[in-house]
Amino acid sequence: MQSSYNFELVAISFIVAALASYTALDLTGRIFLLASARLRHACRLGGAAALGVGIWSMHFVAMLAFSLPIPLGYDFATTAFSLGLAIGVSYLALVMTTHTRLTRLRLVASGVLMGFGIAGMHYTGMAAMQMDPGIHLSAGLVFGLAAGDFMKIDVATFQTVWLITFLCSALITTALSRMFAHVGAFRFWAIGFYLLATATACFALHAIWHTDLLLFATATLALQSRILIWAGTRDLFGASAPWRAGLVVTAVFSLLYGSALAWNAPLLVRASLLALFFAPCRAATLYEVYRRRRPRLGPARMLVAVGSVIATLNAIVPL
């Protein structure tokens, strides 16, 4: 069965999700500034409505972008239930994370709850589809356990997922930098994520336009983004953020890597250059978080470990 996507609607679904996330973060960020319990409750409701409707709208706008050569409709009651599920789970997650004291248990529990809520909204929305032939879901496949088979994701799909991920991260950190203007780390991280998204777009474009210039831009922007993330982590902990020295390092790498591409150096040489410059950035960021004199960083360490695995997959899988 042939299918197609309307990429304009896909872009709109991304914009909807980004705006909803920004609105929810902005509303919940005001909760701690309010003295009235009624106003705090209203902000939680507003944030939950914005986040829930945003998640739900993003899902169905993206579904509208998917075209099949068969009649397709939606059951109203099931679709409405998926919207209520998204808003309800968003509200519970915001209630758990907007207490005066945010414990590690509440943070993890709200994240797990939000993850299950988004998955539940997605599959409830899929169940609302009325089509012939219908959709039959396998519980094993839903949890990634295909019966004797492995999930195969092509490079283009993989890069698209990361492009959206990095753009969402950039928008969220931009919103946080405006909400907490005194925290300079958010500004470093926002710029770093924008550079990562641009690097991912350059790598994806290389599949269409085969030129070493795009590979050069991908590597240079990716390195600079990792240096900025490291600098932001140091700034968060009160240490100096030597971003100017990072620019010098990036310039040296650009000269060496550009020369390797211009002279058609073997792949092993180029891979060695990438490892020589990228590995210390990753190690330095991990060191800043895992230092012994900062013992109360359990959740941060867990997030950095997960993020490192994701970044490693992002670098290895396309190869």
Side-chain angles (χ1 to χ4, degrees):
M1 185 183 298
Q2 295 293 328
S3 60
S4 62
Y5 278 96
N6 183 324
F7 289 101
E8 293 179 356
L9 287 177
V10 172
I12 291 174
S13 71
F14 166 74
I15 293 172
V16 168
L19 290 176
S21 300
Y22 178 86
T23 304
L25 283 171
D26 186 59
L27 285 173
T28 53
R30 301 173 188 271
I31 290 177
F32 301 102
L33 305 177
L34 300 174
S36 170
R38 181 178 298 179
L39 289 177
R40 290 198 298 271
H41 181 65
C43 274
R44 290 192 187 100
L45 286 175
L51 191 57
V53 172
I55 294 170
W56 182 84
S57 301
M58 177 274 297
H59 169 83
F60 281 99
V61 171
M63 289 298 296
L64 289 175
F66 182 60
S67 298
L68 290 172
I70 57 175
L72 185 64
Y74 290 92
D75 178 71
F76 177 80
T78 309
T79 303
F81 177 75
S82 70
L83 173 60
L85 181 63
I87 296 176
V89 170
S90 299
Y91 177 77
L92 292 176
L94 290 178
V95 168
M96 295 174 67
T97 55
T98 53
H99 285 273
T100 304
R101 183 171 177 268
L102 179 60
T103 64
R104 186 182 307 178
L105 178 61
R106 285 175 180 166
L107 181 64
V108 173
S110 62
V112 172
L113 177 65
M114 199 68 203
F116 277 109
I118 293 174
M121 183 282 306
H122 169 76
Y123 286 108
T124 303
M126 294 291 289
M129 295 178 66
Q130 296 177 333
M131 55 187 291
D132 189 18
I135 296 177
H136 301 280
L137 298 176
S138 166
L141 287 173
V142 169
F143 288 96
L145 301 176
D149 198 3
F150 292 97
M151 185 183 299
K152 296 179 176 64
I153 303 178
D154 57 63
V155 173
T157 302
F158 191 83
Q159 292 299 322
T160 301
V161 169
W162 288 118
L163 177 60
I164 294 174
T165 301
F166 292 143
L167 281 174
C168 287
S169 300
L171 290 169
I172 291 173
T173 48
T174 300
L176 290 174
S177 70
R178 296 188 63 182
M179 293 166 57
F180 306 99
H182 60 285
V183 183
F186 289 132
R187 290 190 289 275
F188 282 107
W189 292 341
I191 298 172
F193 281 123
Y194 281 120
L195 292 179
L196 271 176
T198 307
T200 304
C202 289
F203 186 83
L205 187 59
H206 181 263
I208 303 172
W209 183 25
H210 300 284
T211 174
D212 289 342
L213 182 61
L214 287 174
L215 291 179
F216 174 78
T218 299
T220 303
L221 292 173
L223 176 62
Q224 185 59 47
S225 69
R226 282 158 175 79
I227 291 175
L228 286 173
I229 290 172
W230 165 70
T233 305
R234 286 181 58 85
D235 182 83
L236 182 67
F237 294 130
S240 62
W243 59 271
R244 293 182 180 86
L247 291 176
V248 175
V249 172
T250 303
V252 174
F253 170 79
S254 300
L255 179 62
L256 295 175
Y257 192 72
S259 300
L261 290 174
W263 290 94
N264 293 322
L267 179 61
L268 180 61
V269 174
R270 287 180 282 163
S272 299
L273 278 174
L274 293 174
L276 179 64
F277 281 86
F278 278 70
C281 292
R282 182 69 59 203
T285 304
L286 290 172
Y287 172 75
E288 291 298 330
V289 176
Y290 280 88
R291 292 171 71 171
R292 290 185 179 179
R293 59 179 178 155
R294 293 166 184 155
R296 298 182 180 180
L297 294 175
R301 288 175 177 144
M302 179 181 66
L303 290 173
V304 169
V306 173
S308 297
V309 172
I310 291 174
T312 303
L313 287 174
N314 176 243
I316 293 175
V317 172
L319 298 179

